[in-house]
Amino acid sequence: MGRGDLTNAEWDRLESFLPRGGVRGGRWSDHRRVINGVLYRVRTGVQWRDLPERFGPWETVYKRHRRWSADGTWQMLLSKVQAAEDAAGRIDWDVSVDSTAVRAHQHAAGARKTPPAAIPQKGVHRRTNQVDPATETARPTGGGGQVGECLGRSRGGFTTKIHLAADGRCRPLAVLLTPGHYGDGPQLEPVLQQVSVPRIGVGRPRTRPDHVLADKAYTSRKNRHYLRRRGISHTIPERLDQRRHRRNRGSRGGRPAGFDRERYKKRNTVERAINRLKSFRAVATRYEKRAYTYLGTVTLAALIIWLRT
């Protein structure tokens, strides 16, 4: 077992959820070896062709990662681990939201401006984990061009922005990608809508945090109204211009927004979660042309954080 590979305990937590091949097209290569190959690439950021021989053919590792990014297998594994943690009461539902810009390598450029044709792939049955010919999943086509592939020009150059919701133990609960020039505030509602932790047994997934913490970029009235409508308490500081405008309007300006300074100190959890994600070199720098493949890379990094925290 090499440095950074799955340990026996981590493999035992994932093995039962992995799809089993052999229904059509023959046997798949050993899942553990292939996943370790993907982990090596995500951790080091090397080119796929430079993977060590102990992981098998690089094409097999790359295609497995691309397929599982497209059909949601990485997200399914992350949801299973989160569900187990929630059932054990090990999730702190004081959720912090923030974003980080990721520099895109020159190799990330060049995606087709028009969406490519969908490529059929073998679907995975969610209950049996078997490759099911009846559940074909097409490769995501994206929107085409830079914006459709979550690439944009910002102060940092050619970038992608990762919007993140993290629990109180610095673990990513939800991840959303946008082009680098998109603002943070409008993405609060979309990223919180991505929070969905399944229940073990009967019951709907948990989607509502106990409390939300965010910085001044998320202090719009629309965001506060959305949180109040969902019954989510929040700690978001008010910008100076908003405070001045409210005071100038007198009684028509409404009451000042509540702010708990001591509780706001806990917002550093999302900053620490971002640091953990960016310790994976293939997350800290984007090399993928397609947004869904890069999202799979980020999701796999989040999965490893959950397994090892």
Side-chain angles (χ1 to χ4, degrees):
M1 185 177 69
R3 186 172 72 91
D5 290 354
L6 291 174
T7 64
N8 291 334
E10 293 165 357
W11 172 247
D12 290 340
R13 296 184 66 181
L14 298 179
E15 184 179 11
S16 61
F17 304 126
L18 292 172
R20 293 185 290 273
V23 176
R24 183 181 62 180
R27 295 176 59 84
W28 286 8
S29 297
D30 179 63
H31 280 320
R32 186 170 184 176
R33 183 180 67 175
V34 172
I35 292 176
N36 285 334
V38 179
L39 280 179
Y40 181 89
R41 189 263 174 180
V42 172
R43 182 171 58 85
T44 62
V46 301
Q47 296 187 13
W48 289 104
R49 294 175 183 268
D50 295 331
L51 282 176
E53 294 182 357
R54 67 186 179 92
F55 299 119
W58 71 267
E59 297 96 333
T60 301
V61 181
Y62 165 68
K63 289 179 180 178
R64 189 78 55 84
H65 174 58
R66 187 182 66 181
R67 180 185 299 277
W68 285 2
S69 298
D71 64 17
T73 299
W74 293 130
Q75 182 60 47
M76 179 268 294
L77 293 175
L78 177 60
S79 297
K80 295 292 187 182
V81 174
Q82 289 176 342
E85 291 292 298
D86 188 42
R90 291 194 292 262
I91 295 183
D92 184 347
W93 283 96
D94 279 2
V95 174
S96 301
V97 179
D98 206 351
S99 71
T100 181
V102 174
R103 180 72 184 212
H105 194 268
Q106 59 184 357
H107 293 167
R112 299 180 184 180
K113 294 184 179 179
T114 56
I119 297 179
Q121 297 188 14
K122 300 175 184 178
V124 177
H125 196 280
R126 293 295 184 182
R127 293 185 178 178
T128 63
N129 290 336
Q130 293 283 352
V131 178
D132 187 359
T135 57
E136 292 286 344
T137 56
R139 187 175 72 183
T141 58
Q146 289 187 8
V147 174
E149 299 299 344
C150 297
L151 292 166
R153 300 284 178 178
S154 65
R155 183 177 299 179
F158 195 41
T159 53
T160 292
K161 185 171 282 189
I162 301 175
H163 301 268
L164 185 71
D167 79 333
R169 299 183 63 186
C170 310
R171 298 174 298 185
L173 279 171
V175 173
L176 179 70
L177 301 183
T178 64
H181 60 278
Y182 277 32
D184 292 353
Q187 306 307 321
L188 176 69
E189 182 174 347
V191 74
L192 288 181
Q193 289 176 347
Q194 297 292 322
V195 176
S196 180
V197 177
R199 311 280 188 178
I200 294 181
V202 181
R204 293 179 297 176
R206 175 162 183 176
T207 60
R208 189 172 65 177
D210 291 334
H211 196 85
V212 168
L213 301 100
D215 60 18
K216 293 181 180 180
Y218 300 90
T219 187
S220 67
R221 289 187 176 183
K222 179 181 178 181
N223 287 340
R224 294 182 187 275
H225 176 72
Y226 166 75
L227 294 171
R228 285 195 297 268
R229 179 164 51 85
R230 291 192 60 190
I232 302 174
S233 59
H234 55 276
T235 301
I236 304 176
E238 194 176 26
R239 291 201 307 263
L240 292 178
D241 60 333
Q242 290 180 330
R243 191 180 308 169
R244 183 169 54 250
H245 178 66
R246 174 175 50 79
R247 289 174 177 173
N248 290 339
R249 296 189 64 187
S251 59
R252 295 178 300 170
R255 294 178 298 177
F259 180 71
D260 188 340
R261 188 176 298 274
E262 287 299 318
R263 193 163 195 173
Y264 185 70
K265 294 178 180 179
K266 194 176 180 180
R267 198 192 66 84
N268 70 84
T269 55
V270 68
E271 305 287 354
R272 291 150 62 192
I274 289 172
N275 288 340
R276 288 181 177 180
L277 278 177
K278 285 194 168 182
S279 66
F280 297 86
R281 291 177 178 267
V283 175
T285 302
R286 174 177 170 174
Y287 299 100
E288 290 84 357
K289 289 181 172 61
R290 303 301 309 279
Y292 78 88
T293 312
Y294 181 63
L295 180 59
T297 298
V298 179
T299 303
L300 177 58
L303 171 64
I304 298 304
I305 291 173
W306 277 87
L307 287 174
R308 297 177 179 175
T309 303

